[in-house]
Amino acid sequence: RPVTNAEFLAFVKANPKWRRDRVAGVLAEPRYLSHWSGASELGPKALPQQPVTWVSWFAASAYCEAQGAR
């Protein structure tokens, strides 16, 4: 099943290096999590139960690893 915005937000809060204002430029492009209202808040364009989008491959990989998945 797709990862939701709420699930990815929980990951970002637990792993601040993946916040859009802190992520290394080589690990995410400028539009990384650009639909969120802020670095650690969703807002009206990213509802909690919607699938998360605008995530880099590196961030997705880190999320999966943190979940014990791949």
mmCIF file of all heavy atoms in Angstrom, residues 2 5 11 18 22 40 52 58-59 69:
data_model
loop_
_atom_site.group_PDB
_atom_site.id
_atom_site.type_symbol
_atom_site.label_atom_id
_atom_site.label_comp_id
_atom_site.label_asym_id
_atom_site.label_seq_id
_atom_site.Cartn_x
_atom_site.Cartn_y
_atom_site.Cartn_z
ATOM 1 N N PRO A 2 0.382 2.324 -0.539
ATOM 2 C CA PRO A 2 1.176 3.565 -0.576
ATOM 3 C C PRO A 2 1.412 4.131 0.828
ATOM 4 O O PRO A 2 0.574 3.994 1.720
ATOM 5 C CB PRO A 2 0.311 4.524 -1.392
ATOM 6 C CG PRO A 2 -0.647 3.662 -2.144
ATOM 7 C CD PRO A 2 -0.871 2.450 -1.275
ATOM 8 N N ASN A 5 0.968 10.685 3.652
ATOM 9 C CA ASN A 5 1.633 11.904 4.112
ATOM 10 C C ASN A 5 1.866 11.851 5.618
ATOM 11 O O ASN A 5 2.931 12.236 6.100
ATOM 12 C CB ASN A 5 0.798 13.143 3.759
ATOM 13 C CG ASN A 5 0.920 13.525 2.313
ATOM 14 O OD1 ASN A 5 2.000 13.710 1.784
ATOM 15 N ND2 ASN A 5 -0.223 13.652 1.657
ATOM 16 N N PHE A 11 7.962 10.006 10.015
ATOM 17 C CA PHE A 11 9.347 9.649 9.707
ATOM 18 C C PHE A 11 10.234 10.887 9.684
ATOM 19 O O PHE A 11 11.318 10.897 10.273
ATOM 20 C CB PHE A 11 9.412 8.921 8.354
ATOM 21 C CG PHE A 11 10.789 8.829 7.777
ATOM 22 C CD1 PHE A 11 11.723 7.955 8.304
ATOM 23 C CD2 PHE A 11 11.153 9.621 6.694
ATOM 24 C CE1 PHE A 11 13.005 7.883 7.770
ATOM 25 C CE2 PHE A 11 12.423 9.550 6.156
ATOM 26 C CZ PHE A 11 13.355 8.675 6.696
ATOM 27 N N TRP A 18 15.811 14.570 7.032
ATOM 28 C CA TRP A 18 14.976 14.412 5.843
ATOM 29 C C TRP A 18 13.921 15.498 5.709
ATOM 30 O O TRP A 18 13.096 15.458 4.802
ATOM 31 C CB TRP A 18 14.342 13.015 5.814
ATOM 32 C CG TRP A 18 15.383 11.983 5.565
ATOM 33 C CD1 TRP A 18 15.918 11.115 6.473
ATOM 34 C CD2 TRP A 18 16.087 11.748 4.342
ATOM 35 N NE1 TRP A 18 16.890 10.358 5.892
ATOM 36 C CE2 TRP A 18 17.015 10.726 4.571
ATOM 37 C CE3 TRP A 18 16.017 12.309 3.075
ATOM 38 C CZ2 TRP A 18 17.866 10.251 3.583
ATOM 39 C CZ3 TRP A 18 16.862 11.846 2.088
ATOM 40 C CH2 TRP A 18 17.774 10.827 2.344
ATOM 41 N N ARG A 22 16.270 20.768 5.442
ATOM 42 C CA ARG A 22 17.563 20.263 5.920
ATOM 43 C C ARG A 22 18.192 19.206 5.016
ATOM 44 O O ARG A 22 19.368 18.912 5.157
ATOM 45 C CB ARG A 22 17.397 19.658 7.318
ATOM 46 C CG ARG A 22 17.005 20.669 8.360
ATOM 47 C CD ARG A 22 16.985 20.040 9.718
ATOM 48 N NE ARG A 22 16.470 20.979 10.705
ATOM 49 C CZ ARG A 22 16.197 20.658 11.936
ATOM 50 N NH1 ARG A 22 16.399 19.428 12.370
ATOM 51 N NH2 ARG A 22 15.730 21.574 12.764
ATOM 52 N N SER A 40 7.713 20.632 8.375
ATOM 53 C CA SER A 40 7.176 19.580 9.237
ATOM 54 C C SER A 40 5.676 19.747 9.481
ATOM 55 O O SER A 40 5.157 19.433 10.539
ATOM 56 C CB SER A 40 7.927 19.554 10.573
ATOM 57 O OG SER A 40 7.798 20.790 11.230
ATOM 58 N N VAL A 52 1.937 10.019 -0.027
ATOM 59 C CA VAL A 52 2.962 11.052 -0.096
ATOM 60 C C VAL A 52 3.543 11.076 -1.515
ATOM 61 O O VAL A 52 3.693 10.039 -2.160
ATOM 62 C CB VAL A 52 4.068 10.830 0.973
ATOM 63 C CG1 VAL A 52 4.896 9.588 0.695
ATOM 64 C CG2 VAL A 52 4.959 12.048 1.099
ATOM 65 N N PHE A 58 16.175 8.512 -2.487
ATOM 66 C CA PHE A 58 16.985 8.368 -1.274
ATOM 67 C C PHE A 58 16.124 8.462 -0.017
ATOM 68 O O PHE A 58 16.309 7.704 0.927
ATOM 69 C CB PHE A 58 18.092 9.430 -1.239
ATOM 70 C CG PHE A 58 19.065 9.287 -2.372
ATOM 71 C CD1 PHE A 58 18.995 10.133 -3.468
ATOM 72 C CD2 PHE A 58 20.046 8.316 -2.354
ATOM 73 C CE1 PHE A 58 19.886 10.013 -4.513
ATOM 74 C CE2 PHE A 58 20.947 8.173 -3.402
ATOM 75 C CZ PHE A 58 20.863 9.025 -4.490
ATOM 76 N N ALA A 59 15.186 9.395 0.003
ATOM 77 C CA ALA A 59 14.288 9.538 1.147
ATOM 78 C C ALA A 59 13.375 8.321 1.265
ATOM 79 O O ALA A 59 13.129 7.829 2.369
ATOM 80 C CB ALA A 59 13.466 10.818 1.027
ATOM 81 N N ALA A 69 11.735 -2.399 6.129
ATOM 82 C CA ALA A 69 11.217 -2.874 4.842
ATOM 83 C C ALA A 69 12.193 -2.510 3.737
ATOM 84 O O ALA A 69 13.275 -2.016 3.978
ATOM 85 C CB ALA A 69 9.846 -2.261 4.581
#
